[in-house]
Amino acid sequence: MFRHKSAARSWFSLAFETLELIYHVAVRNLRKSHNNAVLGLVMSIVQSLIMLLVMFFMMQLFGMRRIAVRGDFMLYVMSGVFMFMTHIKAIGAVSGADGPTSSMMMHAPMNPIISIMGAALGSLYQQTLSASVILFVYHAAWTPITIDEPVGMLGMFLLSWFTGIGIGMVFLSAKPWQPELIGILVMLYQRANVIASGKMVLANNLAPKRRDLFDWNPLFHTIDQARGFIFLNYTPRYTSYEYAIKYALVCILIGLMAEFFTRQHASASWNKRR
């Protein structure tokens, strides 16, 4: 008799409320890295720029320029670095999202899926801004760049982010069981991708035995496919974006099932003994 009954709401109203909540979670994740939002975005751009310059001089030092695609060498380096940064940042953001034992989950509209989507979108916003600013400055200040198929390149950029979400969800679902170990595994996976992503090489130029070392990695496929869309003189023959899509979907499915199982058993008291 005295129980409060919420008024019936339309699907549109619920969808709008969910999107608004995802937006606020994304903003909160962006603000966590730095108190000043603008300075935080600048630091993200600087981080991508440093990674880009390190890879450029490393490839110059080891004489890897001769195995690059015929065209703008800096654009070749950017294609690998931007996909790599988007992928690992998505893994870090999603694996570090609020889990079932987080205090944020005590608020009624909040749930782990919204937390994951907010973290993933915040990561995508940062990396898209970084890549756009660096490409614009390079195009305007140094030399004009030409991208053969920009829509395809953008698709591979988003696919690199999407595969990062899938892998990050697997790590996130296991995190409440052993946070320290999962944190170490996430860091190792991100560091290993500096080499395992194959961003410094072309799949077409690799011997079959060498190519098998990278073939398991969806990021290797998205980077190679992106170069096929960027450069007119390169056609990927040994990679497939379909593999990356299937890999991401399988990881998301495993992550959702594991997250549901973890949510049924997780307890805030787990962390008290650590």
Side-chain angles (χ1 to χ4, degrees), residues 45-260:
I45 295 171
V46 171
Q47 187 179 14
S48 296
L49 184 60
I50 291 173
M51 181 70 180
L52 183 64
L53 293 175
V54 167
M55 294 303 302
F56 177 79
F57 288 115
M58 185 182 298
M59 294 182 74
Q60 287 276 52
L61 181 64
F62 289 104
M64 301 182 71
R65 186 164 186 162
R66 55 188 173 79
I67 64 172
V69 179
R70 192 173 42 168
D72 192 326
F73 179 65
M74 195 64 181
L75 189 59
Y76 170 81
V77 178
M78 286 181 186
S79 64
V81 170
F82 290 153
M83 303 288 169
F84 165 76
M85 292 295 292
T86 303
H87 182 76
I88 66 166
K89 290 294 184 180
I91 293 173
V94 173
S95 63
D98 294 314
T101 59
S102 170
S103 57
M104 285 295 292
M105 296 304 146
M106 296 179 182
H107 300 277
M110 192 66 177
N111 61 64
I113 301 302
I114 291 176
S115 175
I116 291 169
M117 293 180 68
L121 287 174
S123 168
L124 179 64
Y125 172 74
Q126 274 189 321
Q127 297 310 310
T128 303
L129 179 66
S130 301
S132 300
V133 169
I134 293 173
L135 280 171
F136 173 76
V137 172
Y138 180 73
H139 176 81
W142 272 269
T143 180
I145 59 175
T146 302
I147 296 175
D148 185 38
E149 298 183 47
V151 175
M153 180 218 52
L154 182 59
M156 294 304 102
F157 182 80
L158 293 175
L159 187 54
S160 299
W161 169 72
F162 187 57
T163 53
I165 293 175
I167 297 169
M169 286 183 65
V170 174
F171 285 126
L172 177 65
S173 63
K175 195 171 185 179
W177 301 93
Q178 193 55 252
E180 294 85 2
L181 177 61
I182 297 302
I184 293 172
L185 291 177
V186 170
M187 184 181 67
L188 287 176
Y189 185 86
Q190 291 174 323
R191 299 297 182 269
N193 261 296
V194 175
I195 304 298
S197 63
K199 62 179 177 290
M200 297 182 289
V201 296
L202 292 173
N204 288 4
N205 295 344
L206 290 175
K209 289 185 178 179
R210 286 284 180 86
R211 195 165 54 246
D212 291 343
L213 299 175
F214 301 99
D215 221 17
W216 62 272
N217 195 340
L219 185 57
F220 174 68
H221 291 258
T222 57
I223 290 175
D224 196 61
Q225 288 291 315
R227 285 169 175 163
F229 289 118
I230 294 171
F231 296 100
L232 179 64
N233 301 312
Y234 183 68
T235 303
R237 296 196 302 268
Y238 302 107
T239 56
S240 169
Y241 61 85
E242 294 178 358
Y243 169 80
I245 294 173
K246 292 175 183 177
Y247 190 102
L249 291 176
V250 169
C251 285
I252 288 174
L253 181 61
I254 294 172
L256 286 173
M257 291 190 297
E259 196 279 329
F260 178 78

